[in-house]
């Protein structure tokens, strides 16, 4: 049968299975595997990344517990943990930027 996707190990020159590999050993843009970084973190910093960047999944959604201050799952959490910096002006009482401030303000 047809092989489902391009072998991610072959793309890096590291596949040891050769002809016995269950994946395609030929560059086919329509059958590229999913980008690990995009699927895990919702972004990929590799310029001209050959892997697929598919829509947001649970792993790219923000973690509601981390956003409140603490997540029991830590780095094993299936949701994205985005570190935010508190607004120093807001902490002392007033931020002149208001809702346009680039820092976090909890109301």
């Amino acid at each position: 049968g047809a092989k489902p996707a391009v072998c991610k190990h072959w793309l890096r020159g590291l596949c040891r299975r050769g002809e016995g590999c269950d994946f395609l050993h030929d560059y086919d843009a329509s059958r590229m595997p999913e980008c690990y970084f995009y699927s895990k973190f919702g972004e990929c910093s590799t310029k001209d990344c050959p892997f697929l960047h598919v829509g947001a999944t649970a792993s790219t959604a923000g973690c509601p517990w981390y956003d409140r201050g603490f997540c029991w799952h830590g780095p094993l959490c299936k949701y994205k943990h985005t570190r935010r910096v508190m607004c120093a002006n807001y902490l002392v009482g007033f931020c002149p930027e208001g809702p346009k401030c680039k820092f976090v303000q909890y109301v």
Side-chain angles (χ1 to χ4, degrees):
K3 297 187 178 188
V6 176
C7 176
K8 63 183 178 182
H9 303 293
W10 176 81
L11 286 168
R12 296 181 303 183
L14 299 173
C15 185
R16 296 181 182 178
R17 296 184 176 215
E19 294 296 318
C21 185
D22 294 332
F23 295 91
L24 184 63
H25 282 193
D26 195 17
Y27 187 83
D28 184 347
S30 66
R31 298 188 344 198
M32 293 301 287
E34 188 175 345
C35 177
Y36 170 79
F37 296 103
Y38 193 82
S39 67
K40 180 78 173 155
F41 306 110
E43 59 187 52
C44 174
S45 61
T46 305
K47 185 180 178 186
D48 301 326
C49 178
F51 298 102
L52 291 178
H53 292 168
V54 292
T57 62
S59 64
T60 60
C63 176
W65 299 279
Y66 187 84
D67 290 345
R68 290 185 193 118
F70 182 75
C71 174
W72 285 99
H73 301 287
L76 301 176
C77 184
K78 66 179 181 177
Y79 298 102
K80 185 176 181 182
H81 289 183
T82 304
R83 185 170 297 189
R84 295 183 173 97
V85 178
M86 283 294 297
C87 173
N89 291 326
Y90 182 81
L91 288 173
V92 295
F94 177 75
C95 176
E97 298 292 322
K100 295 179 183 174
C101 182
K102 65 180 181 177
F103 299 106
V104 176
Q105 300 178 0
Y106 291 106
V107 178

